[in-house]
Amino acid sequence: MLQLGLAGCAIPCPRDTDMQEQALGSALAHPHELARLRRGDLVFWKGHVAIVRDAATLVHASAHHMAVTVEATAASIARIRAQGSEVTSVRRVPS
């Protein structure tokens, strides 16, 4: 999903999330500070990435919903944490 979205903005993007996490944007100092998230920030978990839509929601391809979905940021992070994964980084891609 991220690769296709960035291609539409003429921003090159690797295919896999581990490569995206290394190549895209700059890391925020404290990835768990949800109050600092801005539209377009990328939130990474192992094998997964979400795009921040606004102060309260993410857009991501969710296996939980089996679709691309808009979901509350806090709820999404809590659900993925309950499944054993933590946010590995938050990256900001320049606009």
Side-chain angles (χ1 to χ4, degrees), residues 3-92:
Q3 185 182 30
L4 185 60
L6 290 178
C9 298
I11 298 173
C13 178
R15 179 181 175 272
D16 297 328
T17 57
D18 60 333
M19 293 186 289
Q20 292 168 352
E21 188 171 14
Q22 296 301 313
L24 297 173
S26 57
L28 298 183
H30 303 284
H32 300 289
E33 293 182 24
L34 300 180
R36 296 186 58 203
L37 295 177
R38 292 194 322 215
R39 182 178 182 90
D41 285 349
L42 307 175
V43 180
F44 287 91
W45 294 267
K46 183 177 175 152
H48 189 73
V49 62
I51 304 168
V52 174
R53 179 175 164 233
D54 57 34
T57 60
L58 303 170
V59 177
H60 63 124
S62 171
H64 179 73
H65 298 288
M66 295 305 292
V68 174
T69 186
V70 174
E71 187 173 12
T73 303
S76 182
I77 289 172
R79 189 186 70 256
I80 292 171
R81 179 176 288 137
Q83 295 170 350
S85 187
E86 292 288 335
V87 172
T88 55
S89 70
V90 176
R91 304 194 61 86
R92 185 160 289 157

